[in-house]
Amino acid sequence: MNSLEIAERVIEESGTNDPFAVASFYGIEVRSGRWHPVTFGEFERESLTVTINTAAPLDANEILAHELGHYFLGPDGDEDACDDFARRLLRL
């Protein structure tokens, strides 16, 4: 299954394309922090936590959707695949 198909499955299972609602549905905690924007967000698989960088120049929904891509795509989810997942989740 590719990143676009996985995003469609997530939307169907969770009943929404809102990344905050998706995170909640799957038990992923969302936090915010502020650091020099080398990265816009971070996903920690061990604790099922996403931290959104509030200093990043992107919308929190976009950052969270990308980080959820890392969760759903697993180790095969490179940055481009996570971007594709995020665009499909947000229906951009």
Side-chain angles (χ1 to χ4, degrees), residues 43 77 86:
F43 171 63

Side-chain angles (χ1 to χ4, degrees), residues 14-91:
S14 66
T16 184
N17 72 322
D18 177 323
F20 285 90
V22 168
S24 178
F25 181 83
Y26 288 97
I28 300 168
E29 182 180 355
V30 179
R31 301 176 182 167
S32 61
R34 188 173 180 83
W35 60 89
H36 183 71
V38 173
T39 60
F40 296 164
E42 296 177 354
F43 171 63
E44 297 174 25
R45 186 166 300 281
E46 301 79 31
S47 63
L48 288 181
T49 303
V50 170
T51 305
I52 297 171
N53 183 354
T54 59
L58 290 179
D59 178 78
N61 285 319
E62 292 176 66
I63 296 169
L64 179 54
H66 175 93
E67 297 305 323
L68 289 172
H70 287 291
Y71 171 70
F72 289 107
L73 302 175
D76 296 330
D78 63 20
E79 294 303 305
D80 289 337
C82 290
D83 285 344
D84 288 342
F85 175 90
R87 279 191 292 276
R88 187 65 198 123
L89 181 67
L90 297 171
R91 299 185 184 269

